[in-house]
Amino acid sequence: MTTLIIGGSGFLGAELIRQANAAGHTTAATYATRPDTEAPTAWHLLDLRDADSIDAVLTRVRPDVIVNASSGGADWQVTAQGPIRLAIAAAKHGIRMVHVSSDAVFSGTRVHYDESSLPDPTTPYGAAKAAAETGILAIHPQAAIVRTSLIIGHGCSAHEKLVHELATGTRDGALFTDDIRCPVHVTDLAAALLELAAGDAAGIHHVAGPDAVSRHELGILIAQRDGLDPTRLPTALRADSPHPGPLDVRLDSRATQRILRTQLRGVRQFTPPAHRPRGTGRSLAPSGLSGEH
């Protein structure tokens, strides 16, 4: 099977490439600025704003499946319209497509969201992701849309880097105590995406961990895992900050989990404390992490 990873130079894209290669796939990947030259993969420059560029890459690679792990932030041309252009080309060439979406498509008003929940975004990024979902399924009904949450793993994610910088005092900022998500490990997410890519399940799927934690609680778990002092992590409320966004979005992934062999682990499972925190004489208990989420 030939697998094309869109956004292969990103955090998730790199893990998708690693797992696809390990599974014996013929793997190609795209990049927008520079390729990851460490990965033994055929790389192709791709501009999701350009339909001709998309068609040219698909014609060269001739993939059996596309996994779109690209990230364009709130850029409407890239995040909303780019995946729709990709879906048009994939449908024309008869290529299966798996698209990575986000829990940002929800406002948090309902708190708990399963695959039947309708998007109600409150941010430009969430609106772009929601628009991409609608357009892809209208054009390519056999495609699979995978909504996920905070992606953690290997110490390389943006949130893990932020925790290290805050705990060591090399960056100003704070972790929100009222912003709750269901983090997923990048290894589990990539495995689930490739498993869905190899099948024929279409429509909306949720792939997130079963544990709901605040960004600050997540920071505590990462700090304890990495031997940092969690008491050094500053806290704040998103509700009081100048950064708008949904507060409590918990993806219910149980329906998708039932069709997957890949086990979606909770964050407490994949961030066990491994070291004594620096600057303390004893290990710290995970404060605020017991009981109901």
Side-chain angles (χ1 to χ4, degrees):
M1 182 167 75
T2 300
T3 301
L4 175 63
I5 310 298
I6 308 297
S9 56
F11 176 51
L12 173 59
E15 180 63 20
L16 283 163
I17 291 171
R18 186 190 71 78
Q19 291 194 26
N21 284 336
H25 297 189
T26 299
T27 309
T30 72
Y31 66 96
T33 54
R34 60 183 179 84
D36 180 359
T37 54
E38 299 299 319
T41 298
W43 288 93
H44 302 269
L45 177 64
L46 177 66
D47 184 352
L48 284 173
R49 298 168 298 180
D50 182 353
D52 290 338
S53 173
I54 294 170
D55 196 70
V57 169
L58 297 193
T59 299
R60 287 198 301 272
V61 177
R62 300 178 64 85
D64 299 294
V65 63
I66 297 167
V67 181
N68 180 27
S70 63
S71 176
D75 186 326
W76 191 266
Q77 278 284 325
V78 177
T79 302
Q81 295 180 327
I84 294 172
R85 295 186 190 96
L86 186 63
I88 291 171
K92 182 180 80 171
H93 289 271
I95 302 168
R96 176 155 174 75
M97 178 174 172
V98 177
H99 171 73
V100 180
S101 189
S102 167
D103 57 11
V105 302
F106 297 121
S107 69
T109 303
R110 287 184 50 184
V111 178
H112 298 278
Y113 295 89
D114 64 16
E115 285 87 347
S116 67
S117 302
L118 296 178
D120 59 341
T122 60
T123 64
Y125 172 69
K129 282 291 193 180
E133 290 184 4
T134 301
I136 290 168
L137 291 180
I139 292 160
H140 196 345
Q142 292 76 37
I145 305 290
V146 177
R147 295 177 183 141
T148 192
S149 190
L150 298 178
I151 308 172
I152 307 298
H154 311 316
C156 299
S157 70
H159 198 87
E160 288 164 294
K161 292 176 181 177
L162 172 62
V163 168
H164 276 246
E165 291 169 352
L166 292 175
T168 56
T170 59
R171 176 173 175 172
D172 293 329
L175 298 176
F176 296 131
T177 58
D178 60 344
D179 184 330
I180 298 172
R181 298 293 186 272
C182 294
V184 65
H185 197 283
V186 66
T187 301
D188 301 345
L189 175 58
L193 290 168
L194 292 174
E195 189 176 336
L196 289 167
D200 58 4
I204 302 293
H205 302 275
H206 286 183
V207 177
D211 294 342
V213 296
S214 72
R215 289 180 186 262
H216 179 246
E217 290 170 330
L218 176 58
I220 290 173
L221 292 169
I222 292 169
Q224 290 180 322
R225 180 198 67 187
D226 295 346
L228 301 169
D229 183 356
T231 66
R232 292 178 57 86
L233 297 174
T235 63
L237 295 174
R238 181 183 281 278
D240 295 337
S241 81
H243 307 289
L247 295 182
D248 195 340
V249 178
R250 310 183 190 201
L251 292 185
D252 182 346
S253 303
R254 289 176 294 180
T256 300
Q257 179 66 89
R258 285 194 287 270
I259 67 171
L260 291 174
R261 296 186 304 276
T262 302
Q263 184 64 42
L264 302 174
R265 295 169 291 166
V267 65
R268 294 181 181 84
Q269 191 175 354
F270 62 74
T271 56
H275 305 285
R276 175 179 297 174
R278 297 169 189 162
T280 68
R282 58 185 176 84
S283 296
L284 297 179
S287 59
L289 296 178
S290 60
E292 296 294 322
H293 299 316

